[in-house]
Amino acid sequence: MNLNFIVPDINMTFGDMKFMGLNKERYVYDRENNKRTDVLESRVYNIASAVQGGQIEVTIPEYAGAKEIPPFADIELKNPKISAMATSQRDSTYANVMWKLEADDIVVKGGSSVKTAAATSGNDKK
């Protein structure tokens, strides 16, 4: 049996979550040519977690779109998954574990979806 990721109990793991903003955008890396491409792969957002006691990063896939959520708005994560990767140095008996939180989307609490930046950039004048 392979353990690919952990599905957390949202309330026990994160508690109340607040939106903090965009941290960075990740682009596809071309391993064959050893360089980054211009193809957007995902966006990393900062959220505040009451249970974790600070700010954490959540990775959202590119197809979810850029989020225009007001800072400190109460949010929910759709289908969150936690994965881990351990690294160690040669001849070392210790390992470093890097945790990664991914979700399908970030939505304002009580809402079903959030307008993406592309959807709100149009001219709404009447």
Side-chain angles (χ1 to χ4, degrees):
M1 178 179 135
N2 258 349
L3 180 62
N4 296 323
F5 56 84
I6 300 166
V7 178
D9 178 305
I10 303 270
N11 292 328
M12 290 183 69
T13 306
F14 303 113
D16 291 331
M17 294 179 286
K18 304 271 187 195
F19 187 78
M20 303 298 285
L22 178 67
N23 182 321
K24 60 187 165 192
E25 294 181 328
R26 287 199 173 123
Y27 292 87
V28 174
Y29 188 78
D30 182 357
R31 294 184 192 273
E32 196 171 289
N33 295 319
N34 204 27
K35 65 179 182 177
R36 187 190 85 169
T37 67
D38 291 334
V39 178
L40 183 62
E41 182 176 39
S42 61
R43 291 178 178 88
V44 180
Y45 291 94
N46 292 331
I47 60 173
S49 165
V51 173
Q52 295 298 317
Q55 188 169 284
I56 56 177
E57 294 180 349
V58 60
T59 302
I60 305 296
E62 172 274 331
Y63 60 79
K67 303 300 170 194
E68 287 190 358
I69 301 174
F72 307 107
D74 291 328
I75 58 155
E76 296 175 340
L77 300 177
K78 296 295 180 185
N79 301 319
K81 296 178 222 157
I82 300 171
S83 57
M85 183 175 81
T87 60
S88 66
Q89 294 184 358
R90 178 177 279 166
D91 299 327
S92 175
T93 58
Y94 298 98
N96 293 322
V97 177
M98 295 182 291
W99 297 95
K100 183 177 181 181
L101 172 61
E102 297 176 300
D104 290 343
D105 204 355
I106 299 174
V107 297
V108 174
K109 197 168 192 171
S112 60
S113 65
V114 174
K115 291 183 181 178
T116 61
T120 59
S121 62
N123 188 350
D124 291 339
K125 292 182 182 177
K126 293 185 179 184

